[in-house]
DNA sequence: AGTGTATCCTGCAGGC
DNA sequence: TGCCTGCAGGATACAC
């Protein structure tokens, strides 16, 4: 479900509480989206300390350390990808930590519980070595909110591809962290039709797309993400950005800029939303 | 090489 | 009420 702003919101919700906590007990409830297989994950994570919590693209990253052999020794990383309906929820010592579709529970040394819950189980919870994770991260494109993602980087990337603009934006090797909602929203802000070949986007439009991406992602982070159905942050709170969407899910409704009816088309196996008047 | 399609899974909305 | 179909914010294995 969640794209960059939703994952960022989860991380911000966890950051004040997790670093320095030790995982006392791991309980794997569904094994199919956990790696390595159940017992091995438990062995790798149990007794370790969560050093920090951060985000890379749509992946939540928690480096581990501690245990026998040294308190600051690298013990690999615990990574969580929320897929479509994943939730990473933090419960306090006195909360009821039961959820509808639990996959893994991490009991913490303060009595709290971190639960990964996922209705559709498209997500993934993994322990991996630090170098494996770094290699995986290196295959992802730039973070769209970083300085490294300049408009010229976007221009050069687009120029090298004839993929539809929306498909290009969803490819995590090109820009990391976008999903269908924010790709559609940014294209609206840039006045670019979602199906337009990437290489045909003009320089002026590239600048508008670059600004639109940063703007819509920043505003969505500020709003705690978009909740359409399932998404909630680490403490169970829904996002507040959905009412501000301009085209996503608004087919049949008037464009907020010109009043023309927003349309929906399907390509690449998923819906694209656009205003036929504002986007060419 | 670079695209598009099908697929994993469950829940829900809408049509009949 | 119940049954059916289509659709959903992701990523990947495969076909062309």
């Amino acid at each position: 479900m969640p794209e960059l702003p939703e994952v960022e919101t989860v991380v911000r919700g966890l950051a004040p509480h997790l670093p320095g906590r030790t995982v006392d007990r791991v309980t794997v409830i569904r094994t199919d989206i956990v790696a390595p297989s159940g017992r091995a994950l438990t062995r790798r994570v149990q007794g370790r300390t969560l050093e920090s919590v951060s985000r890379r693209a749509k992946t939540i990253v928690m480096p581990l350390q501690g245990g026998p052999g040294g308190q600051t020794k690298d013990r690999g990383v615990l990574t969580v990808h929320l897929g479509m309906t994943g939730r990473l929820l933090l419960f306090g010592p006195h909360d009821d930590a039961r959820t509808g579709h639990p996959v893994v529970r991490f009991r913490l040394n303060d009595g709290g519980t971190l639960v990964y819950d996922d209705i559709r189980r498209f997500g993934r919870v993994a322990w991996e070595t630090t170098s494996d994770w770094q290699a995986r991260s290196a295959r992802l494109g730039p973070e769209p909110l970083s300085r490294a993602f300049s408009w010229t980087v976007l221009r050069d990337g687009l120029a090298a591809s004839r993929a539809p603009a929306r498909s290009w934006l969803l490819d995590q090797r090109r820009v990391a962290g976008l999903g269908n909602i924010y790709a559609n929203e940014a294209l609206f802000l840039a006045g670019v039709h979602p199906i337009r070949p990437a290489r045909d986007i003009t320089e002026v439009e590239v600048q508008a797309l670059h600004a639109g991406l940063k703007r819509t992602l920043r505003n969505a982070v500020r709003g705690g993400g978009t909740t359409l159905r399932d998404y909630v942050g680490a403490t169970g709170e829904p996002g507040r950005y959905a009412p501000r969407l301009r085209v996503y899910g608004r087919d049949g409704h008037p464009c907020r800029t010109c009043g023309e009816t927003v349309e929906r088309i399907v390509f690449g196996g998923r819906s694209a939303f656009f205003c036929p008047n504002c986007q060419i």
Side-chain angles (χ1 to χ4, degrees), chain A residues 73-151:
Chain A
K73 195 169 167 60
D74 176 3
R75 298 296 186 182
V77 297
L78 180 63
T79 60
V80 177
H81 193 296
L82 303 176
M84 297 266 251
T85 53
R87 300 172 166 189
L88 192 57
L89 298 162
L90 181 62
F91 294 95
H94 305 295
D95 296 340
D96 181 352
R98 282 177 299 187
T99 61
H101 302 270
V103 174
V104 191
R105 274 196 269 266
F106 302 93
R107 182 67 184 272
L108 306 176
N109 65 332
D110 67 340
T113 308
L114 184 66
V115 179
Y116 181 67
D117 181 281
D118 193 342
I119 297 170
R120 289 172 71 184
R121 300 207 306 286
F122 279 16
R124 190 173 169 81
V125 176
W127 175 87
E128 46 200 312
T129 66
T130 299
S131 64
D132 280 356
W133 160 246
Q134 285 169 347
R136 207 152 70 78
S137 175
R139 289 194 288 271
L140 297 168
E143 285 288 329
L145 290 179
S146 71
R147 297 203 67 144
F149 185 67
S150 62
W151 82 268

Side-chain angles (χ1 to χ4, degrees), chain A residues 196-218:
Chain A
R196 180 117 69 94
R199 60 156 71 140
D200 295 349
I201 298 173
T202 68
E203 203 151 278
V204 171
E205 288 169 331
V206 171
Q207 292 179 1
L209 181 57
H210 179 257
L213 282 167
K214 299 232 182 206
R215 184 172 145 208
T216 193
L217 291 171
R218 276 201 200 99

Side-chain angles (χ1 to χ4, degrees), chain A residues 179-191:
Chain A
N180 205 24
I181 293 179
Y182 300 108
N184 278 282
E185 292 295 296
L187 287 168
F188 173 80
L189 291 176

Side-chain angles (χ1 to χ4, degrees), chain A residues 188-189 246-247 250 254-260 262 275 277-278:
Chain A
F188 173 80
L189 291 176
R246 291 166 171 87
V247 287
R250 295 195 64 249
C255 170
R256 300 202 156 147
T257 299
C258 75
E260 184 67 77
V262 173
C275 169
N277 183 46
C278 296

